[in-house]
Amino acid sequence: MADNRRRFLARAGASAATLFLGGCTSLSEQPWVVNLLSEVEILTRHAQRLFAGEHALAPEFPKKDIASVFRANGTLNPDTPDYNAHAANGFRDWRIKVGGLVEHPLSISMAALRAMPSRTQITRHDCVEGWSCIGQWTGTPLSLVLAAARPTAAARYVMFFCADNMAQDGDPPQFYYESLDLLEATHPQTLLAYELNGQTLPIEYGAPVRLRAERQLGYKMPKYIKRIEVVDEFKTINGGRGGYWEDQGYNWWGGI
Ligand SMILES: Nc1nc2c(c(=O)[nH]1)N[C@H]1C(S)=C(S)[C@@H](COP(=O)(O)O)O[C@H]1N2
Ligand SMILES: [Mo]
């Protein structure tokens, strides 16, 4: 597992470096390059939205294209005492807390989430490690949950905090987390997904609930979501770069 993560990081780091710096990684430690990189990131984001349109849908596929076995990646089971207790209980007591810059904080049970309007979509998942997989996802559009929580005027990003600890044994805990801007968060294909291929979401794919953000790379789709927080900025949260992999050097903008 640790080896897998190291390899994953090395590969992704290498491809990001080739893309932006012609393979010259040490440059990225210079403050001006860091600023430049974030500007490149902003340009990429704006270019994508200019050409694809802010609300363009990611491609959807016919049922015949669904992979017979969806590939699982990253954490395959959080395996903490708390998570295991929820799993043993069929996640009946799992709640997603929604807080931060909202007028109406929420604590949503899985039953309540399932009772909300749902969307089902067959989409392609692209991981930076270089693999793709087509699957059918069902879940509640995140926009509906956010609308119920009523973000305040200062809201800019939506943070997701997960149940899996990414730290090596003995290191301080570092739970997986991610963030999207409000535009991606309220996109019609951005779901709090609780079913894969018509089945209750299995543990390896993020049970009981994971994000699907279909215009984004795999690492932008957190599994095992416990808490959602609406914020105006994320530089004071964990490593300050908006996500677990971002704190290890990935781009915050993970649009495809
Ligand atoms: N909580 C959590 N979410 C996560 C990860 C993880 O390790 N922990 N890995 C990410 C990565 S890199 C990918 S490619 C996808 C994998 O989702 P899958 O297991 O359904 O294929 O989950 C993403 N979300
Ligand atoms: Mo990934």
Side-chain angles (χ1 to χ4, degrees):
M1 179 60 105
D3 266 4
N4 272 344
R5 276 186 207 138
R6 257 192 300 279
R7 246 176 287 136
F8 179 20
L9 200 57
R11 237 178 284 156
S15 59
T18 325
L19 197 56
F20 294 120
L21 295 169
C24 195
T25 35
S26 62
L27 260 184
S28 65
E29 275 135 43
Q30 306 289 325
W32 67 268
V33 178
V34 173
N35 287 339
L36 180 68
L37 278 178
S38 57
E39 269 167 37
V40 170
E41 203 171 291
I42 290 165
L43 280 177
T44 315
R45 175 154 46 123
H46 287 179
Q48 189 194 41
R49 284 178 180 158
L50 190 65
F51 292 114
E54 289 191 345
H55 299 288
L57 296 179
E60 294 191 16
F61 298 83
K63 268 200 152 57
K64 69 170 176 48
D65 291 345
I66 294 174
S68 53
V69 178
F70 196 85
R71 185 159 165 179
N73 197 40
T75 303
L76 304 182
N77 187 339
D79 199 23
T80 63
D82 182 60
Y83 183 85
N84 292 342
H86 280 288
N89 185 27
F91 299 103
R92 262 182 296 278
D93 300 324
W94 189 273
R95 284 183 172 265
I96 307 166
K97 301 239 162 59
V98 185
L101 298 176
V102 296
E103 287 171 9
H104 188 55
L106 304 168
S107 172
I108 311 171
S109 67
M110 289 309 299
L113 193 71
R114 286 171 173 275
M116 292 178 72
S118 70
R119 184 172 206 280
T120 294
Q121 56 203 28
I122 301 173
T123 52
R124 197 188 60 219
H125 178 109
D126 294 307
C127 172
V128 283
E129 287 181 277
W131 57 271
S132 300
C133 213
I134 293 178
Q136 174 185 286
W137 302 95
T138 299
T140 311
L142 179 62
S143 60
L144 298 180
V145 171
L146 291 174
R150 293 201 300 269
T152 68
R156 289 191 63 198
Y157 301 100
V158 181
M159 315 288 304
F160 306 89
F161 297 95
C162 308
D164 53 324
N165 181 10
M166 303 295 282
Q168 311 283 335
D169 287 348
D171 289 349
Q174 262 189 294
F175 290 91
Y176 199 97
Y177 79 107
E178 253 306 333
S179 59
L180 295 177
D181 63 21
L182 271 186
L183 208 55
E184 288 302 309
T186 57
H187 183 271
Q189 289 166 314
T190 299
L191 309 181
L192 290 174
Y194 47 73
E195 279 179 17
L196 170 60
N197 299 336
Q199 308 291 319
T200 301
L201 193 63
I203 287 178
E204 59 264 49
Y205 307 106
V209 59
R210 64 95 52 86
L211 194 76
R212 293 301 308 172
E214 304 295 356
R215 303 191 301 184
Q216 299 285 316
L217 288 164
Y219 68 92
K220 298 297 294 187
M221 296 187 238
K223 313 196 275 190
Y224 319 111
I225 298 175
K226 292 202 76 148
R227 190 163 64 85
I228 295 175
E229 197 179 330
V230 178
V231 300
D232 55 352
E233 56 168 284
F234 46 70
K235 58 173 185 269
T236 59
I237 298 172
N238 296 341
R241 303 203 42 193
Y244 173 79
W245 285 115
E246 287 85 332
D247 287 341
Q248 328 291 314
Y250 278 31
N251 280 333
W252 176 79
W253 179 245
I256 299 167

